[in-house]
Amino acid sequence: MTVTSQEKEASIVDFYEGKSVFITGGTGFLGKVFIEKLLYSCPGLVKMYMLIREKKGLTIKERIDRFVDDPLFDRLKNQRPKDLEKIVLIPGDMTASNLGISPENENLLIEEVSVIIHSAATVKFNAPLEEAWAINVDGTRRILALCRKMKKAEIFLHISTAYANTNRKEIEEQLYPPPADINELDKMDKHAVTEKQTMKLLNGLPNTYTFTKSLTEHLVAENCAYMPTVIVRPSVVAAILEDPIKGWLENWFGATGISVFTAKGLNRVFLGHKDIVVDVIPVDYVTNLVIIAGARNSNAKELKVYNCCSSACNPLTLGNLQKAFIEDAIKHKTYLMPLPGWFIFTRYKFIATIVTFIFQVVPAYIRDFYRRIIGKKPKYTKIVYLVVQTRLALDFFSSHSWVMRADRVRELYASLSTNDKRLFPCDPTHINWPEYLKDYGAGVRRFLEKRN
């Protein structure tokens, strides 16, 4: 990809001047960071329209107030609180006809929006096919249909996943053949599909999430006939690396939950090997890449795919990830069970099952039995059940390694001006893993566990 001198000089911030953005999935972990970053770093942005589900009993203002009641938005509230008034909630539903958007709001979007960021999806790994399809596939169809009506639309940015092509060991920044015929699946009564039939339909992909996200990429690719279109594939999205708050995060998804469970002594086994590469990417790097890709591809004639990943150029092993969390738990005494650093890796499921029973289930029952004796409510068996379900959902990913190329991402970042590089860092080779993981652990304690 050749980068012209004009592209090098163009400002990312200038691209968003005078424009309005429409975002789906804005209330999610990634969506919140998108909104904060765009509002703060692109002060010339006119409006941030956010698709959001109806909620009875709360006014629009109350919902916005609740949304921004998060340390993530502190710098905006302190420096430019008026900019938060640019957030406009659009009540709707991804699974409803016409997205459940009122005619007035639909007309508003059609007349005003220039940039679309489609981030909404069900991220449940093993959701029934019917549910995953309704949101990830049909929901995207509805978003695309709306966006094609938008008079000012300049770019459509779709957030996919790097794990949409796990049937390949090396994943390039390109569109791969779909795992199934989407037209045939459209005709199928997905409500009647059994779990066994679903596994066959997945065609080697590990779950309905990756399967539907892979198919959705092909729906999005067809959008190039209507407007410039970009697919961004993040890997395991984790805590903020730098901006606006180091270590900020708001959920236990991805690598967070299982790493914390292991550090606390609640998980004693991983299906896999310590040298398996776990592809982690900070959430602010994903956000920055999407913002840059939007500005740089508004005149693109063909589909652009970016892998927002670290495994090919700055790999982190599963063993080192767990070691960092365990050291943090020991240092700050946040573990719950004795010997928090003790756990094993195995390639055999039956060994994982035995270790789980002996070293997780049995101790949990013993501790709950003691709690009953002293008049307290049992809690450990319930926690261990959650731990086991979490680990089982991740077994496929902890026992496989992929090389996910991010050459186009790095080249795009290299094309930026010095100021834009400072504002929108996204080159994964710049991540210092030991420092980042310290901040990650501190973020878990501060934002999830609410410790001082």
Side-chain angles (χ1 to χ4, degrees), residues 228-376:
T229 300
V230 170
I231 292 174
V232 175
R233 295 178 181 145
S235 51
V236 181
V237 183
I240 286 177
L241 181 132
E242 187 68 41
D243 184 42
I245 307 174
K246 288 184 178 183
W248 181 87
L249 71 171
E250 68 161 12
N251 62 49
W252 296 92
F253 298 161
T256 306
I258 195 64
S259 297
V260 173
F261 289 148
T262 304
K264 289 183 181 297
L266 295 166
N267 178 60
R268 301 295 191 179
V269 63
F270 275 95
L271 191 68
H273 190 273
K274 67 182 179 67
D275 293 327
I276 288 285
V277 173
V278 53
D279 201 307
V280 171
I281 198 76
V283 63
D284 48 329
Y285 270 40
V286 183
T287 298
N288 293 336
L289 172 60
V290 171
I291 293 171
I292 295 166
R296 281 288 184 265
N297 292 289
S298 60
N299 294 314
K301 302 298 182 187
E302 59 184 30
L303 178 73
K304 293 292 180 68
V305 180
Y306 295 95
N307 289 343
C308 196
C309 306
S310 59
S311 55
C313 56
N314 189 9
L316 171 68
T317 65
L318 184 57
N320 285 337
L321 174 66
Q322 299 313 308
K323 180 183 176 185
F325 273 88
I326 289 167
E327 288 175 350
D328 185 88
I330 292 172
K331 180 180 178 180
H332 297 280
K333 294 182 171 57
T334 58
Y335 51 89
L336 295 175
M337 302 293 269
L339 303 174
W342 187 89
F343 72 99
I344 69 166
F345 289 98
T346 180
R347 297 183 184 277
Y348 303 102
K349 288 185 177 181
F350 78 92
I351 292 179
T353 302
I354 292 169
V355 171
T356 298
F357 180 75
I358 295 174
F359 295 102
Q360 291 176 221
V361 176
V362 171
Y365 272 97
I366 291 172
R367 292 205 70 167
D368 275 350
F369 178 70
Y370 174 71
R371 287 179 67 85
R372 287 179 187 276
I373 290 174
I374 62 176
K376 291 184 177 181

Side-chain angles (χ1 to χ4, degrees), residues 154-168:
E154 293 185 37
I155 187 84
F156 182 90
L157 297 144
H158 173 68
I159 313 304
S160 184
T161 172
Y163 297 96
N165 298 283
T166 53
N167 52 339
R168 300 173 182 274

Side-chain angles (χ1 to χ4, degrees), residues 195-213:
E195 189 173 337
K196 186 175 181 180
Q197 289 171 324
T198 297
M199 292 307 298
K200 187 175 180 180
L201 286 171
L202 297 184
N203 195 21
L205 292 179
N207 50 51
T208 56
Y209 169 68
T210 56
F211 178 70
T212 52
K213 292 293 279 184

